[in-house]
Amino acid sequence: MSDKSTILIVDDEIVSRYTVEALLSSEGYELVFAESGEEALEKAVELVPDLMLLDVMMPGMNGFEVCQLLRANPRLAELPVVMVTALDDRESRIKGIEAGADDFMSKPFDRAELRARIRTITRLNRYRRLVETEEKLAYLANYDPLTSLPNRNLLMERMRQTLGRASRNQQGVAVLVLDLDGFQMINDSLGHEVGDKMLQEVASRLTHTVSVGATVARLSGDEFVIMEEANDPVKQVSDIAQRVLDAISQFMMLNQHEIVITASLGISVFPSDGEEPSGLLKNANIALSRAKAEGKNTYQFFTGEMNTMALKRLILENQLRKVLERNELCLYYQPQVELASGRIVGLEALLRWQHPELGFVSPGQFISVAEEMGLIIPIGEWVLRTACIQNQIWQEAGLPPIRMSVNVSGRQFQDPGLLQMIKNVLVETGLNPIYLELELTESMLMEENINRKESVFAVLTQLQTMGIHIAIDDFGTGYSSLSYLKRFPLNTLKIDRSFVQDVNTNTDDAAITTAIIAMAHSLQLTVVAEGVETKEQLAFLEKRQCEIVQGYFFSPPISVKEMTKMLKQVNEKPFLFPSA
Ligand code: C2E
Ligand code: MG
Ligand code: MG
């Protein structure tokens, strides 16, 4: 673009043309003239001027028609047009506006007015063009024109920002490098047009598969990168990776060809696999070549350890699906001992999974997975039924009736069928509801969702009305205050093992435990201390009038057979405490 603005002056009268030329000659514009509407359109197309000064009254094509035709041409639609009309001709001006004129002037021209108007309009127009050009350049510098995805440049920029934020917030970030399997063959056999369409389709599938905050970029050819913040790389990232592979491998219709393509993914994770964008990309690429070697349509983490964990998780999920039909679950029971009497007043039912090949899988490993899969609903029902049946069996065997505590996960409380399920189990097993206690965690009550809070509240109230006890498990690990808990119908508060552990060595834990017990009592809650292992801990708790204790000091969770024996023994001879 030359730095002079070009003005096209359209007028059939030679005197008018001379006048304008004289008035604008010293202003440094490039002046071009047309004597008719037809000539004006030709020159406008050829030159794309910065401004057109257009006389309305011309033989042949008049100014209105010229203006209308200009506006119909996409290249000239934005060209500023100043229409020259007879003085105060209101009707012409209205027609001019309809035809698309931007401004009006009338003859004879006033020198100062003409200069000022033209100066303003050309300046605005040049500015607009400059902005457009800069925007175009900025766009090309940061985006891939084929797919409209960020390019390497913008990806690196976003990575720097995201990694900076992640390290401040101590969060993880996953970098997934994707490469299509056999893309070259598609390009060679079906042509570049199909290849391009495929890349656009892949870009759109990726964008729809990842979460909103993620960045999807195209680096080159068929190489794409996804960057997403992730706190649990093994689970969250392997889920993303699998979703991406599934999305890509759906068939595509491209120019009447039905094509199936797969992709391979290499994954690196910040900060463990690198702290800089370039290092993370390099390691993700190393993982990518391993994924290709694995036989494509698969993903690999850079770290071997993470691959093992991802694989384990996959196996776990598959095995967990069959756990009920294969009858691999059983319950262990741990006694809850009343400090005043040394008697067993309750049992906590704790889930155990014995897998023929995986061996013993601890609840810490599989319960969260079962929750995510929704499997905790049928598993939870099995636990409740088994525990109630067992409690009934012990009572019928003549042992003193005691309360059975069953853990209930938050996910179960989202199930609208929970209440009915509990009622059914109690009817089926014939267990008196006063011998059942349900253990909930603090976080379940703390859920931000008001609606849920109400329904949890409603369910708890109904359960308590039936005579079932409600206990808060692992108290102290969440954020709730006792005054918050006061709103809920509760009977028992279980102090988390982490406080009990250090009551004799850590003054903070001692103070907190003391305060929790005192406040629980003021709310008429029974206190159970979890994880009691030593006689010193026991003495501490006894002194603060904690009612019930549970822990290895008395017994770890044990099988039905062992528990039957223990119940009989303790019934005859209650526990004796060294401190008492
Ligand atoms: P929890 O409900 O807090 O259960 C207490 C855990 O502490 C049990 O671990 C128990 O074996 C352990 N424990 C008891 N006394 C001691 C002690 O003196 N020292 C130490 N170090 N540990 C002790 P477990 O059986 O591995 O269960 C872990 C968690 O899994 C449970 O924590 C509970 O949240 C969950 N869970 C277990 N069974 C079920 C179930 O049937 N349903 C649901 N939803 N969750 C369950
Ligand atoms: Mg529990
Ligand atoms: Mg607990």
Side-chain angles (χ1 to χ4, degrees):
M1 191 175 18
S2 94
D3 48 323
K4 270 185 175 180
S5 291
T6 306
I7 301 177
L8 179 58
I9 295 139
V10 188
D11 206 313
D12 57 314
E13 284 174 53
I14 188 162
V15 182
S16 295
R17 297 203 298 270
Y18 280 161
T19 315
V20 175
E21 187 175 17
L23 292 176
L24 294 179
S25 61
S26 56
E27 295 284 296
Y29 298 117
E30 179 87 40
L31 301 178
V32 183
F33 296 91
E35 295 174 27
S36 68
E38 290 80 359
E39 192 189 349
L41 285 174
E42 258 168 51
K43 288 202 164 151
V45 169
E46 180 191 333
L47 298 167
V48 190
D50 293 286
L51 173 69
M52 182 184 278
L53 194 63
L54 177 63
D55 191 25
V56 172
M57 304 286 285
M58 292 185 292
M61 194 187 285
N62 68 26
F64 302 125
E65 291 167 296
V66 173
C67 199
Q68 262 165 356
L69 287 169
L70 283 180
R71 295 308 183 222
N73 179 332
R75 276 186 74 209
L76 299 171
E78 301 286 310
L79 168 62
V81 173
V82 177
M83 254 185 201
V84 182
T85 61
L87 191 63
D88 287 340
D89 182 352
R90 209 170 150 262
E91 209 171 298
S92 295
R93 292 198 170 192
I94 290 170
K95 271 176 92 176
I97 290 170
E98 282 167 0
D102 297 292
D103 201 357
F104 299 91
M105 293 198 64
S106 39
K107 288 194 262 192
F109 293 118
D110 175 273
R111 184 192 180 99
E113 189 195 359
L114 180 72
R115 284 184 176 173
R117 287 231 186 148
I118 290 197
R119 215 180 284 145
T120 313
I121 292 180
T122 51
R123 199 193 307 123
L124 284 176
N125 192 39
R126 287 177 69 81
Y127 176 71
R128 184 174 55 81
R129 287 202 192 178
L130 195 69
V131 169
E132 276 171 9
T133 317
E134 273 177 3
E135 275 173 359
K136 246 179 241 158
L137 288 176
Y139 187 83
L140 288 177
N142 286 320
Y143 290 89
D144 162 40
L146 179 69
T147 60
S148 304
L149 290 179
N151 63 14
R152 180 185 296 270
N153 208 13
L154 185 56
L155 173 71
M156 296 305 263
E157 174 67 33
R158 295 231 182 123
M159 280 180 87
R160 274 189 289 274
Q161 286 171 3
T162 307
L163 297 185
R165 189 173 57 235
S167 79
R168 280 193 301 281
N169 303 340
Q170 302 201 322
Q171 282 188 314
V173 179
V175 177
L176 295 82
V177 176
L178 177 147
D179 190 278
L180 296 176
D181 300 327
F183 179 68
Q184 198 50 48
M185 226 167 65
I186 303 276
N187 244 345
D188 293 347
S189 57
L190 299 174
H192 284 269
E193 196 191 323
V194 172
D196 282 357
K197 285 199 173 149
M198 175 173 281
L199 294 173
Q200 288 168 336
E201 179 63 25
V202 167
S204 125
R205 290 185 184 186
L206 290 180
T207 316
H208 288 101
T209 306
V210 302
S211 60
V212 187
T215 293
V216 179
R218 178 175 174 229
L219 292 204
S220 64
D222 61 339
E223 191 189 354
F224 295 83
V225 172
I226 299 159
M227 174 187 59
E228 189 158 345
E229 287 176 58
N231 282 324
D232 178 355
V234 173
K235 173 182 155 21
Q236 209 177 328
V237 182
S238 47
D239 281 357
I240 300 168
Q242 194 54 54
R243 279 209 311 276
V244 166
L245 293 183
D246 292 346
I248 301 296
S249 61
Q250 307 285 319
F251 84 88
M252 303 181 183
M253 274 306 276
L254 303 172
N255 288 10
Q256 271 94 56
H257 298 285
E258 196 173 297
I259 308 172
V260 174
I261 192 140
T262 57
S264 299
L265 285 169
I267 306 164
S268 63
V269 176
F270 168 88
S272 52
D273 301 339
E275 303 201 353
E276 296 294 322
S278 56
L280 285 165
L281 282 173
K282 196 180 111 221
N283 288 341
N285 270 299
I286 293 174
L288 174 65
S289 43
R290 273 195 244 131
K292 293 261 177 198
E294 280 278 309
K296 312 191 161 129
N297 195 21
T298 180
Y299 63 85
Q300 283 282 308
F301 283 96
F302 174 66
T303 323
E305 188 192 337
M306 268 182 202
N307 279 327
T308 320
M309 289 199 283
L311 183 66
K312 269 199 185 150
R313 193 188 146 89
L314 192 69
I315 295 174
L316 195 66
E317 279 189 18
N318 287 330
Q319 297 304 308
L320 205 50
R321 277 181 227 287
K322 302 169 192 147
V323 82
L324 283 172
E325 64 186 71
R326 288 195 190 160
N327 225 342
E328 290 168 354
L329 294 177
C330 75
L331 291 182
Y332 268 41
Y333 299 91
Q334 189 177 31
Q336 299 181 331
V337 178
E338 187 180 56
L339 272 173
S341 63
R343 292 185 181 278
I344 295 176
V345 290
L347 297 177
E348 178 171 6
L350 291 157
L351 194 51
R352 297 292 177 261
W353 179 15
Q354 189 68 42
H355 184 271
E357 282 116 49
L358 300 176
F360 171 77
V361 191
S362 81
Q365 277 174 287
F366 73 85
I367 285 186
S368 62
V369 181
E371 281 173 350
E372 283 158 22
M373 294 169 68
L375 268 178
I376 196 68
I377 310 279
I379 290 179
E381 180 171 351
W382 179 89
V383 170
L384 184 74
R385 180 171 287 112
T386 310
C388 290
I389 292 174
Q390 187 57 52
N391 201 13
Q392 190 69 7
I393 290 176
W394 278 319
Q395 291 190 12
E396 283 164 10
L399 288 160
I402 52 174
R403 195 167 278 126
M404 177 69 77
S405 289
V406 173
N407 293 283
V408 179
S409 85
R411 182 68 199 265
Q412 288 175 269
F413 260 85
Q414 287 168 7
D415 174 23
L418 178 74
L419 196 64
Q420 194 54 53
M421 184 277 280
I422 296 172
K423 286 181 185 165
N424 292 347
V425 167
L426 286 169
V427 170
E428 272 171 44
T429 60
L431 184 73
N432 184 338
I434 63 165
Y435 297 118
L436 178 61
E437 178 167 71
L438 301 178
E439 293 191 7
L440 281 61
T441 58
E442 275 174 83
S443 54
M444 284 175 50
L445 305 179
M446 291 288 292
E447 259 338 276
E448 280 299 310
N449 184 335
I450 308 264
N451 291 330
R452 243 203 80 192
K453 208 184 300 173
E454 277 174 357
S455 73
V456 168
F457 181 86
V459 173
L460 291 183
T461 309
Q462 292 206 49
L463 290 170
Q464 215 182 33
T465 314
M466 288 162 64
I468 298 172
H469 272 206
I470 308 293
I472 286 295
D473 202 356
D474 306 338
F475 186 81
T477 55
Y479 302 98
S480 55
S481 59
L482 274 173
S483 57
Y484 180 86
L485 290 182
K486 198 159 69 179
R487 309 185 210 170
F488 291 96
L490 304 175
N491 306 87
T492 309
L493 191 141
K494 300 186 76 177
I495 303 178
D496 192 65
R497 175 155 60 87
S498 57
F499 295 105
V500 175
Q501 206 170 355
D502 296 326
V503 281
N504 304 107
T505 48
N506 183 319
T507 48
D508 283 349
D509 285 351
I512 294 171
T513 305
T514 306
I516 292 177
I517 295 172
M519 293 201 304
H521 285 159
S522 73
L523 297 175
Q524 264 90 52
L525 298 176
T526 304
V527 180
V528 178
E530 293 189 291
V532 178
E533 295 181 0
T534 67
K535 60 176 192 296
E536 289 79 17
Q537 292 165 344
L538 197 65
F540 179 96
L541 294 161
E542 196 180 16
K543 213 169 135 196
R544 274 131 191 112
Q545 267 121 38
C546 169
E547 290 91 342
I548 298 173
V549 285
Q550 178 182 344
Y552 293 174
F553 181 79
F554 301 103
S555 168
I558 51 179
S559 67
V560 172
K561 206 171 142 211
E562 292 171 293
M563 184 49 83
T564 309
K565 215 158 80 192
M566 177 178 274
L567 286 172
K568 284 180 182 156
Q569 270 172 10
V570 180
N571 186 32
E572 280 154 25
K573 198 163 145 276
F575 286 109
L576 278 177
F577 308 127
S579 69

